[in-house]
Amino acid sequence: MAHLGVADLADVARSAYGRELRDVARLRGGSKKGVYRLMLDDGTTGIAYVWRASEDYWPEHDEDPLFGHASGRDLFLTAHTALSEAGACVPRLVLADADVVVVEDLGGEFLEKAFDADALERLWDDLAAVHRHTSPRYGRPNALRPLDAPPVPDVVLHRALGHLETCRARVPRIAAERDRLEAQLRERHAAVEPRTTYALIHGELGPDHVLVTDGRPVLIDIEGVMFFDVEWEHVFLELRFGSHHRPATGLDQARMSFYRLAQHLSLVEGPLRLLDGGFPHRDAMTAIAEHNIGRVLDC
C-alpha cells in the first residue's frame, strides 16, 4: 500500500500552519487511517490524520454501525469535543478538512513504553471523570439510539454470536467448542439485569492509545467514543493494562463476565479479518488472535 508524501500533504501543511512542508513520516499503528508527522520548514512538527481508502487496511464488512469501522473525520471531531468537555486531555485541534485532521504534535512517549505511576493515576482519574458523563441513550454522541432501541446486552449478544460463527469457520479449536461457547454467551447474557443509563467511554483504550507528555496522559485514537455500558470499557482496560488496571467501584460483575467472552471473540475475529487484507504488521495481529483463541477456550 503506497503512503502519502510531501506533495500529497503540502497544501494541508500550508492550510494548518502557513508554512512549507519539508518532509513527512507515516507513524506506525493506524489500520483505518494514516497517521503522519508533518515536518515544516521552520523545524516544527504537527500530526495529520488522513482518512482515505488508500490508508484503510480493513476489508469491507457489514456490522452494526455502533461498532463497525469506527473511523472518519466526523467521528474524530465529535469524540474530541465530547472528551474535552468531560475533562480528558486530547491533542489540540489545528485544522479539520474534508478527509484530514491536523493536531498538535505532543511528542512524549506512549504509556506502554513505561507505566509511569503518576501518569497512570491521572489516567484513571481522567477516565473516572469521563465515565461520570452519562446519557439515557447509548450510541455515538452525535447519533444516540432511540430509547426503545434493543438493550446494549442484546446488541453485544447478537454481535458475539456472529463472531462465534465466523471464528468457528476459521479456527478448528473454536469449532470443536462452538456449542459450549454459544451456551456460555447465552447464559451470561441472561444473567445481566436491565439498565437505563450509559457512560461516555473511549471504547478502545490501551496503553498504545495514551501519550504521556509532561506527566499528563493524553488520549488518542478516539473515534470509538460512545455512550455505552462502562463495563465494556473496563473489560478492555483489564485486557490491555493487566495488573496496572484500576477497576472502578460498583462494576456489574455479570456484565463483566459476559463482555469478557464477547470481547475475546471480537479479538479473534477482528485480527483474522484484518489479516485478509494487506496489513503489514502481520506477526502482531497473528499473536493477538492466537492469544484470544486461548482466552475464549478458557471461558
Side-chain angles (χ1 to χ4, degrees):
M1 184 177 290
H3 299 315
L4 303 180
V6 171
D8 303 296
L9 295 170
D11 288 344
V12 170
R14 290 190 200 100
S15 296
Y17 298 104
R19 306 206 66 91
E20 294 302 311
L21 184 62
R22 292 304 185 207
D23 201 2
V24 299
R26 193 180 197 275
L27 305 183
R28 180 173 177 170
S31 64
K32 300 176 183 177
K33 63 179 180 292
V35 184
Y36 291 88
R37 174 166 282 120
L38 308 176
M39 289 164 268
L40 307 174
D41 60 0
D42 65 348
T44 59
T45 60
I47 299 295
Y49 297 136
V50 182
W51 292 274
R52 294 177 187 171
S54 61
E55 301 289 341
D56 189 344
Y57 288 103
W58 286 86
E60 289 189 12
H61 180 68
D62 291 331
E63 190 173 28
D64 189 310
L66 188 64
F67 296 99
H69 221 65
S71 188
R73 186 203 68 160
D74 291 345
L75 282 177
F76 178 92
L77 295 176
T78 300
H80 191 278
T81 298
L83 290 173
S84 298
E85 291 177 349
C89 188
V90 290
R92 180 177 57 85
L93 187 65
V94 179
L95 173 74
D97 206 343
D99 56 4
V100 178
V101 164
V102 178
V103 299
E104 64 179 327
D105 186 357
L106 291 166
E109 292 283 354
F110 287 104
L111 187 57
E112 66 180 347
K113 296 290 185 181
F115 284 96
D116 177 79
D118 291 339
L120 274 168
E121 283 303 303
R122 294 190 70 173
L123 174 65
W124 302 135
D125 290 344
D126 286 354
L127 276 181
V130 169
H131 294 161
R132 285 194 290 270
H133 284 247
T134 60
S135 169
R137 299 187 291 161
Y138 66 88
R140 305 292 178 194
N142 63 344
L144 294 173
R145 299 294 174 91
L147 286 171
D148 61 353
V152 160
D154 290 5
V155 174
V156 172
L157 177 64
H158 177 77
R159 181 175 186 256
L161 290 172
H163 286 169
L164 176 59
E165 289 306 302
T166 301
C167 294
R168 175 190 63 81
R170 302 187 63 159
V171 183
R173 285 172 290 165
I174 289 180
E177 298 286 334
R178 182 240 177 255
D179 291 347
R180 179 182 69 81
L181 291 169
E182 179 178 349
Q184 278 289 312
L185 283 170
R186 295 190 182 279
E187 179 180 325
R188 296 183 192 197
H189 168 264
V192 174
E193 296 292 333
R195 175 179 286 170
T196 57
T197 302
Y198 306 98
L200 186 68
I201 67 171
H202 179 283
E204 195 181 8
L205 190 61
D208 57 336
H209 290 170
V210 182
L211 277 170
V212 179
T213 178
D214 296 327
R216 180 70 192 263
V218 183
L219 307 187
I220 62 171
D221 283 347
I222 59 176
E223 294 94 311
V225 164
M226 59 182 171
F227 286 97
F228 210 64
D229 278 344
V230 71
E231 289 83 3
W232 186 261
E233 181 103 290
H234 275 281
V235 164
F236 196 81
L237 291 170
E238 71 178 14
L239 293 179
R240 295 302 316 278
F241 284 86
S243 62
H244 298 289
H245 173 231
R246 187 175 82 186
T249 58
L251 293 174
D252 179 349
Q253 294 307 311
R255 277 178 167 78
M256 294 289 286
S257 176
F258 174 41
Y259 292 163
R260 282 189 191 102
L261 179 51
Q263 289 202 27
H264 286 310
L265 282 166
S266 176
L267 289 169
V268 177
E269 188 274 344
L272 291 180
R273 181 158 46 90
L274 186 56
L275 288 169
D276 288 339
F279 187 69
H281 310 297
R282 305 185 71 77
D283 288 347
M285 280 300 115
T286 300
I288 291 171
E290 186 62 32
H291 173 76
N292 283 282
I293 289 169
R295 296 297 295 270
V296 166
L297 296 175
D298 287 343
C299 283

